[in-house]
Amino acid sequence: FTGGAFADDRATVDQQAAKLSSRITSVRALGWSSPPKRRGAARPRHRAYGGQTEKPIQLKPGYDESSPQCVEKWLTQETFYEKVKDSSPAADAVFCALAGGAAFAERTIVESRLEEWRMPQGKFQEAAFYQSLKQGRLDLATGWILFGSANALVLLSIVVPTNPFARFVENLLRQLLQGYAAL
C-alpha cells in the first residue's frame, strides 16, 4: 500500500485513479447499503503505527450488527478492490484518497470525500479528487517518516550513546528527577 505514489508512471496512474473514482457515486457502491450507524470512539490506525496488522472493527470481538449500539463497519482495502473490481496502483491511489494514511476507510469520511468530489453541481470534480489524493499521500508519507525517524533516533541512541539527542534526553531526565527530589 503506497497510495500509487511509487508507480512507474505516476501521472498515468493518477489519471486512471481519477477515472476509477468518478465511477464511485455513493457509499452504496463500496458496500455500505444500510442507513448510517454511529461512528464510535475507535479509529483506524495509521499504517505505520500498527495499521498493517490491525483487524477492522467488524472483525474485532464484541462486534454485533444486531445491537442498536453497533458502530459502522470500516472499509478494508481488499473489500474496496472487490467493489471497484480493480487492484491496480490506480485503485490503491483511490483508497489512499479515501482513507488517507489509515489502514481502513470510515463511512463518514468516505461520504464527505465523495461529496467533495461531486460539488457543486453533482458532477465529478477532478481537481477536488487530486487534492484528496495529495492529502492522503501526504498523511501516509508523514506517518511513515515520523515512525522511521523515531526508530532511527532510538537506534542512534543505542549505537552512539553520546549523541546530542541522547545527551538532551539525559539532561532533561536529570532535571526532572532533581525537581522531584526537591519536593
Side-chain angles (χ1 to χ4, degrees):
F1 178 77
T2 60
F6 299 111
D8 292 335
D9 187 9
R10 194 163 125 188
T12 303
V13 168
D14 290 355
Q15 289 172 351
Q16 292 170 345
K19 184 178 178 183
L20 180 64
S21 64
S22 68
R23 295 186 309 194
I24 304 170
T25 56
S26 71
V27 293
R28 291 193 187 282
L30 299 175
W32 286 295
S33 55
S34 60
K37 298 178 182 176
R38 69 185 191 89
R39 189 169 180 192
R43 295 286 160 270
R45 289 186 195 158
H46 191 283
R47 289 198 173 266
Y49 301 104
Q52 298 282 36
T53 58
E54 181 183 29
K55 290 182 181 178
I57 193 84
Q58 60 268 23
L59 297 181
K60 291 186 178 181
Y63 186 84
D64 180 17
E65 272 195 88
S66 62
S67 170
Q69 295 298 318
C70 182
V71 295
E72 194 64 65
K73 289 181 181 180
W74 294 342
L75 178 67
T76 65
Q77 194 168 5
E78 294 77 22
T79 304
F80 177 76
Y81 289 160
E82 289 172 16
K83 297 297 180 181
V84 298
K85 296 175 180 64
D86 191 353
S87 61
S88 67
D92 199 27
V94 175
F95 189 81
C96 184
L98 293 171
F104 307 104
E106 296 179 90
R107 181 179 181 152
T108 54
I109 294 172
V110 170
E111 285 174 336
S112 68
R113 292 281 194 278
L114 293 176
E115 283 178 25
E116 289 171 9
W117 299 349
R118 301 226 172 259
M119 295 275 249
Q121 299 97 3
K123 191 174 161 187
F124 182 72
Q125 303 293 320
E126 230 175 86
F129 167 73
Y130 286 133
Q131 184 177 357
S132 296
L133 179 58
K134 182 179 178 183
Q135 184 62 44
R137 285 178 175 160
L138 181 66
D139 292 346
L140 184 64
T142 302
W144 279 109
I145 289 169
L146 289 174
F147 179 75
S149 299
N151 283 323
L153 280 174
V154 169
L155 182 63
L156 181 65
S157 295
I158 293 169
V159 174
V160 185
T162 58
N163 72 64
F165 176 73
R167 289 291 184 194
F168 171 75
V169 171
E170 181 183 339
N171 290 333
L172 182 67
L173 288 173
R174 184 177 296 121
Q175 289 175 357
L176 286 173
L177 290 175
Q178 286 174 352
Y180 284 121
L183 294 176

